[in-house]
Amino acid sequence: MKIDEIQPQLLNEFKMVLAHHHLSHAYLFSGGFGSYEMALWLSQAIFCEQPMDALPCGHCRTCRLIEQEEFADLHLVEPDGQMIKTGQVRALSEVFSESGFEGKSKVIIIREADKMHQNAANALLKSIEEPENDTYIFLISQNENLVLPTILSRTQVIKFPKNIEYFRNTLEKNGILRTQAELLAQVTDSIEAALKIGQSSWFNEGYNKCLQEIKLLKSSPADAFLYLSALTDTFDDKERQKILFDLLIHLFYQEKWIDKIQKTFKAVKMWQANVRLESCLNYIVMESE
């Protein structure tokens, strides 16, 4: 995805930030639509050998290496399995304490930051609170509501709204029906993932089951508990289960069901901590006291 096509407004805002040399040392990019691409573009701006008005040229050796995720002073952290573990974050201590290999600056990008174990998040706090002058941290999360408040309070949060029209049009150009493209644009953050899901038979079946679950929650909560097995039958692996939670959040938003939205966010954290899907869904369905 080209960042100038999917997030043109944010790109212009960051161009102004760079022009005035006001780039902060710790950001949390909330929303997956172009946030990682923006972090890479800003990394190019920091390291570029031939910047033009503080903007990256995109062609020098450094810019090319960053685009390929192979630059020595760019450090990427991703979940190991379902979690970013404490050891992964503690391993960054050398990065924070030492100079860069090719210059003074260092950039750390932590993808899916909401999957940090609490101990890992705590290990990162000191580095965020007292950053080295030439260290930049970009935390990326699909939803800031899933990130620990202690992390949120120490970073500058930038929201990356979906460019729904761009998303939907791209899916339609690739053969996805308009109604399905509209839904996929709402519940996924990656065009590649949306295309893969849109070409599968289980998605429509799963969506219809989610609609039935919402209907039962409103009319017969006891039956809603029993119907959960229908959801677990269809959403039977981790990839599908993530889509399940996204569908439920989307439908609860449509219903303006705030309690269930909050419970679903909590259930996602439980699920990421390896609580069984059935238990997470039971928590969502359970009536508030």
Side-chain angles (χ1 to χ4, degrees):
M1 293 190 293
K2 294 183 178 180
I3 195 65
D4 59 336
E5 294 180 358
I6 57 177
Q7 293 291 357
Q9 181 175 342
L10 280 176
L11 180 63
N12 287 334
E13 291 175 4
F14 271 115
K15 285 180 178 180
M16 293 294 293
V17 168
L18 291 171
H20 291 88
H21 306 287
H22 288 163
L23 191 66
S24 296
H25 287 286
Y27 287 94
L28 189 143
F29 288 171
S30 178
F33 204 63
S35 54
Y36 180 62
E37 289 79 3
M38 185 69 80
L40 286 180
W41 183 82
L42 288 170
S43 299
Q44 289 177 321
I46 292 167
F47 293 113
C48 182
E49 299 169 18
Q50 301 170 351
M52 298 172 287
D53 297 325
L55 305 181
C57 70
H59 306 296
C60 68
R61 167 185 168 272
T62 297
C63 284
R64 294 197 307 271
L65 286 174
I66 290 172
E67 184 178 7
Q68 297 164 7
E69 304 176 356
E70 295 178 355
F71 188 62
D73 291 324
L74 173 65
H75 304 271
L76 303 175
V77 179
E78 298 179 306
D80 181 2
Q82 291 298 310
M83 192 73 64
I84 294 177
K85 299 175 181 177
T86 307
Q88 290 177 268
V89 174
R90 286 180 176 163
L92 294 173
S93 59
E94 293 184 7
V95 176
F96 288 115
S97 62
E98 297 178 355
S99 298
F101 287 101
E102 303 208 23
K104 293 182 178 181
S105 297
K106 298 156 288 183
V107 170
I108 295 165
I109 301 177
I110 301 181
R111 304 185 73 172
E112 299 184 74
D114 49 279
K115 293 186 178 180
M116 272 193 290
H117 188 278
Q118 184 166 350
N119 291 338
N122 290 335
L124 184 65
L125 281 177
K126 183 176 181 181
S127 298
I128 294 179
E129 289 174 337
E130 302 173 5
E132 297 291 332
N133 289 334
D134 296 305
T135 300
Y136 299 87
I137 305 170
F138 298 101
L139 305 176
I140 297 174
S141 173
Q142 299 289 352
N143 193 312
E144 77 231 44
N145 293 309
L146 302 177
V147 178
L148 288 176
T150 49
I151 294 290
L152 284 177
S153 65
R154 291 164 175 80
T155 57
Q156 184 171 340
V157 179
I158 305 294
K159 296 181 185 294
F160 279 70
K162 291 182 187 178
N163 188 331
I164 296 295
E165 182 178 359
Y166 175 89
F167 204 131
R168 184 184 61 238
N169 289 342
T170 302
L171 294 181
E172 288 188 63
K173 288 177 182 177
N174 283 273
I176 304 296
L177 295 176
R178 184 176 182 82
T179 53
Q180 191 174 31
E182 185 73 39
L183 177 62
L184 287 167
Q186 296 290 340
V187 302
T188 61
D189 292 285
S190 162
I191 289 175
E192 292 76 15
L195 287 171
K196 180 180 177 182
I197 294 167
Q199 295 165 355
S200 62
S201 60
W202 63 267
F203 180 72
N204 280 335
E205 177 188 353
Y207 176 61
N208 289 329
K209 287 183 176 181
C210 287
L211 289 173
Q212 178 64 14
E213 181 65 31
I214 300 296
K215 181 179 178 180
L216 290 173
L217 273 172
K218 296 167 67 176
S219 62
S220 178
D223 290 335
F225 270 106
L226 296 176
Y227 192 74
L228 289 178
S229 60
L231 293 179
T232 57
D233 286 344
T234 299
F235 298 92
D236 56 1
D237 62 33
K238 285 289 185 180
E239 183 177 340
R240 293 186 184 186
Q241 288 164 13
K242 181 184 182 304
I243 296 297
L244 169 59
F245 288 119
D246 290 336
L247 283 171
L248 290 174
I249 289 171
H250 172 66
L251 292 172
F252 287 139
Y253 267 116
Q254 286 187 333
E255 296 289 335
K256 299 181 180 179
W257 208 337
I258 303 303
D259 172 62
K260 294 302 183 186
I261 295 170
Q262 293 173 340
K263 282 196 165 190
T264 306
F265 282 133
K266 175 67 174 178
V268 171
K269 296 296 290 185
M270 294 163 57
W271 174 73
Q272 290 175 344
N274 294 320
V275 175
R276 294 174 65 247
L277 177 63
E278 293 85 349
S279 299
C280 297
L281 294 177
N282 283 336
Y283 174 78
I284 295 171
V285 172
M286 182 175 59
E287 292 185 7
S288 300
E289 296 180 359

